[in-house]
């Protein structure tokens, strides 16, 4: 039997693959890397692409799509920390900008949008008062 | 004395409320199970990333990432406040917000400024009312939290840390212990303490591609994001179980109210019958 290594492909939201494999190809940042068991320890970023796994007793390769992340290789264990979202400096920056803007807007119209909850509470109070008044009238 | 009809309407309305609370209880129970699964599904990633981060920080003593360096002066503090989007979940949000408020007062007393990153509508509304300085916020995460929505708001906070606008970062959320028990916790995210990462195993080192700095930078950002994600996932599980318990209590209370009202209703009815009978008897006797 060929040598195998343990491969974990995990993302923050769920585990994508966990098991033994004979060979693995991942799209590393500096080019594709092929990994056999007893590879020297290596850590690198990976680009969006497919990870191919050769599983023992299977002729076909297992394909897993990852949208980037980190690849950590140890002699017997390979871990792929996959991203669940498309990442990139620009993309992240855009998201941060958007978040910042929203925060600023929220700060600016403190009075307008914010107090939906407060208005709701006031409305409930007014309704309760009306009920009370109606009840008082009935009693008279 | 209240009339029979009025009591009947009252009973009906309480019964309707009970139906709603019971339905909410069941919905929360089924969502809770899924939320717990998701919370557990996020754990392996967090664990793996922590292991690698621990190894990296020990293996590279020459490069200290700013996230790992404790700053001498503490001027401003960032807090990520995680709450739910909806109410009707018992004291969940109140407990978290009370905890944050207590800490904020403490910090402000010590002359530290506080910056907020609000996750969830309740946190945002509360912080706006308090007039706190909000760096970023995210609301309407839904039942399945997605990393994608958290990246932006978290990056704003991390950037603020890198630029020195905040010198420490905390996160406050409700930790899920079990279905009956959830407790608010306040944890420090930044600077990352050495103990949180644990000690390194062995004395070997990786080959880095392209270089150690780039990998470590990216890894630590992911690490923080994962911790935030984990907190959000845990908060959602807490929210659902807390709502389930609260709605169960509400259904039980509605049941008690209905019983009491029924008793009153029957008593009134009996009294009316007795009165009528005695009137008839009295009338017959008079003849």
């Amino acid at each position: 039997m060929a040598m195998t290594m343990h491969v974990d492909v995990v993302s923050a939201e769920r585990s994508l693959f966990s098991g033994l494999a004979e060979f693995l190809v991942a799209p590393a940042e500096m080019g594709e890397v092929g990994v056999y068991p007893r590879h020297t320890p290596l850590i690198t970023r990976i680009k969006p692409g497919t990870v191919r796994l050769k599983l023992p007793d299977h002729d076909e390769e297992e394909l897993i799509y990852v949208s980037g992340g980190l690849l950590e290789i140890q002699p017997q264990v390979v871990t792929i920390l996959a991203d669940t979202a498309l990442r990139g400096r620009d993309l992240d920056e855009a998201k941060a900008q958007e978040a910042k803007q929203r925060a600023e807007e929220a700060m600016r119209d403190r009075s307008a949008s914010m107090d939906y909850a407060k208005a709701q509470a006031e409305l409930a109070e007014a309704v309760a008062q009306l009920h009370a008044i109606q009840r008082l009238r009935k009693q008279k | 004395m209240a009339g029979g009809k009025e009591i009947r309407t009252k009973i009906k309305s309480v019964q309707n409320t009970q139906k709603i609370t019971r339905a909410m209880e069941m919905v929360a129970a089924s969502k809770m199970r899924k939320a717990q699964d998701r919370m557990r599904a996020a754990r392996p990633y967090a664990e793996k990333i922590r292991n690698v981060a621990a190894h990296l920080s020990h293996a590279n003593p020459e490069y200290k990432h700013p996230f790992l360096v404790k700053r001498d002066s503490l001027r401003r503090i960032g807090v990520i406040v995680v709450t739910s989007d909806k109410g009707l979940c018992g004291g969940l949000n109140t407990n978290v917000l009370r905890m944050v408020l207590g800490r904020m007062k403490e910090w402000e007393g010590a002359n530290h400024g506080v910056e907020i990153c609000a996750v969830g509508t309740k946190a945002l509304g509360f912080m706006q009312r308090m007039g706190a300085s909000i760096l970023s916020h995210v609301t309407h995460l839904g039942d399945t939290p997605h990393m994608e929505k958290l990246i932006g708001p978290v990056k704003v906070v991390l950037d603020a840390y890198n630029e020195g606008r905040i010198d420490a970062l905390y996160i406050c959320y409700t930790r899920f212990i079990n279905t009956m028990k959830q407790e608010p916790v306040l944890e420090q995210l930044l600077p990352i303490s050495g103990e949180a990462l644990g000690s390194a195993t062995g004395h070997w080192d990786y080959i880095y591609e392209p270089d150690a700095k780039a990998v470590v930078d990216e890894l630590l950002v992911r690490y923080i994001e994962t911790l935030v994600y984990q907190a959000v996932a845990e908060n959602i599980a807490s929210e659902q179980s807390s709502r389930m318990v609260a709605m169960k209590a509400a259904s039980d209370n509605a049941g008690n109210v209905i019983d009491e009202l029924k008793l009153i209703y029957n008593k009134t009815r009996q009294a009316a019958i007795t009165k009528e009978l005695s009137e008839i008897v009295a009338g017959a006797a008079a003849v």
Side-chain angles (χ1 to χ4, degrees):
Chain A
M1 202 183 118
M3 268 201 299
T4 55
M5 58 193 164
H6 193 84
V7 179
D8 281 310
V9 185
V10 288
S11 79
E13 287 170 25
R14 65 207 169 95
S15 171
L16 299 167
F17 176 86
S18 179
L20 294 173
E22 287 175 1
F23 176 61
L24 165 154
V25 178
E29 204 183 22
M30 315 280 281
E32 282 216 323
V33 287
V35 184
Y36 278 105
R38 302 180 60 183
H39 194 285
T40 185
L42 180 136
I43 193 161
T44 182
R45 288 191 288 206
I46 51 177
K47 294 186 293 191
T50 15
V51 175
R52 287 181 288 150
L53 293 164
K54 170 80 183 74
L55 306 182
D57 312 323
H58 277 76
D59 286 337
E60 278 181 26
E61 287 181 324
E62 172 99 12
L63 299 176
I64 301 166
Y65 177 78
V66 289
S67 46
L70 286 162
L71 170 68
E72 186 226 359
I73 302 168
Q74 283 181 39
Q76 300 301 330
V77 187
V78 176
T79 313
I80 296 176
L81 300 162
D83 288 335
T84 41
L86 269 177
R87 301 293 295 260
R89 196 172 283 269
D90 302 344
L91 279 171
D92 284 9
E93 196 57 49
K95 278 192 189 115
Q97 281 299 335
E98 199 186 314
K100 229 181 239 169
Q101 250 171 25
R102 262 187 294 140
E104 275 162 17
E105 270 164 35
M107 295 269 276
R108 218 176 305 130
D109 57 26
R110 244 174 234 285
S111 47
S113 67
M114 101 184 196
D115 273 11
Y116 179 65
K118 199 172 159 195
Q120 223 173 8
E122 277 169 7
L123 183 68
E125 207 178 301
V127 169
Q129 278 176 351
L130 274 177
H131 268 298
I133 291 167
Q134 271 171 0
R135 209 170 296 159
L136 279 174
R137 274 207 191 126
K138 254 190 207 165
Q139 276 184 1
K140 278 179 196 168
Chain B
M1 192 172 59
K5 188 160 180 294
E6 273 167 31
I7 299 176
R8 261 210 313 272
T9 10
K10 186 89 195 164
I11 291 177
K12 253 270 126 43
S13 101
V14 178
Q15 271 171 342
N16 285 337
T17 313
Q18 194 187 26
K19 268 183 212 158
I20 296 171
T21 56
R22 197 167 282 157
M24 281 182 80
E25 178 195 335
M26 284 189 283
V27 171
S30 80
K31 279 187 179 170
M32 182 188 77
R33 231 160 284 144
K34 280 194 205 129
Q36 278 183 40
D37 290 344
R38 264 193 295 276
M39 183 181 90
R40 291 200 189 96
R43 273 192 191 145
Y45 183 83
E47 210 119 282
K48 288 267 154 56
I49 217 160
R50 181 164 36 236
N51 288 346
V52 179
H55 186 90
L56 287 184
S57 64
H58 287 281
N60 289 284
E62 77 279 3
Y63 174 60
K64 275 278 180 209
H65 191 276
F67 286 179
L68 297 166
V69 181
K70 196 161 183 274
R71 295 188 184 162
D72 300 330
S73 65
L74 199 66
R75 286 173 322 237
R76 296 190 75 77
I77 296 167
V79 190
I80 301 178
V81 187
V82 187
T83 61
S84 67
D85 280 327
K86 291 174 192 155
L88 290 180
C89 46
L92 187 88
N93 293 325
T94 327
N95 289 341
V96 166
L97 294 173
R98 190 186 298 137
M99 188 170 204
V100 173
L101 199 62
R103 273 305 187 90
M104 274 169 75
K105 282 214 180 100
E106 229 171 80
W107 284 328
E108 269 157 16
N111 257 334
H112 302 318
V114 180
E115 301 276 350
I116 300 291
C117 168
V119 181
T121 345
K122 296 284 166 191
L124 180 63
F126 179 77
M127 287 305 162
Q128 277 181 326
R129 239 168 296 143
M130 292 294 302
S133 154
I134 299 169
L135 273 182
S136 62
H137 67 96
V138 54
T139 54
H140 304 291
L141 286 171
D143 295 326
T144 32
H146 286 298
M147 200 59 151
E148 193 152 7
K149 278 193 148 185
L150 293 172
I151 293 169
V154 172
K155 188 170 161 50
V156 172
V157 182
L158 295 183
D159 284 348
Y161 184 82
N162 283 333
E163 289 160 15
R165 276 186 287 137
I166 55 173
D167 302 309
L169 179 63
Y170 288 82
I171 187 164
C172 191
Y173 65 99
T174 310
R175 173 175 289 154
F176 181 88
I177 296 168
N178 55 42
T179 318
M180 299 304 290
K181 198 169 176 214
Q182 302 89 34
E183 62 177 23
V185 284
L186 189 92
E187 286 171 356
Q188 183 164 1
L189 288 182
L190 290 177
I192 301 168
S193 62
E195 300 101 67
L197 290 175
S199 58
T201 47
H203 293 288
W204 47 275
D205 199 5
Y206 292 103
I207 301 172
Y208 298 95
E209 264 184 41
D211 59 279
K213 188 177 169 294
V215 175
V216 173
D217 285 358
E218 192 154 326
L219 195 87
L220 289 177
V221 171
R222 296 286 147 87
Y223 178 58
I224 299 297
E225 282 171 1
T226 314
L227 290 180
V228 176
Y229 179 86
Q230 184 87 38
V232 171
E234 215 156 298
N235 198 68
I236 288 174
S238 303
E239 177 196 349
Q240 296 303 349
S241 52
S242 171
R243 176 167 300 135
M244 191 185 85
V245 172
M247 288 300 119
K248 184 162 173 49
S251 305
D252 292 350
N253 284 344
N256 289 342
V257 171
I258 290 171
D259 286 348
E260 272 167 34
L261 284 173
K262 272 196 180 148
L263 197 66
I264 295 171
Y265 173 69
N266 285 337
K267 267 187 188 159
T268 337
R269 196 172 56 99
Q270 197 60 54
I273 292 167
T274 316
K275 196 175 141 208
E276 216 166 290
L277 269 180
S278 60
E279 273 167 10
I280 292 168
V281 170
V287 175

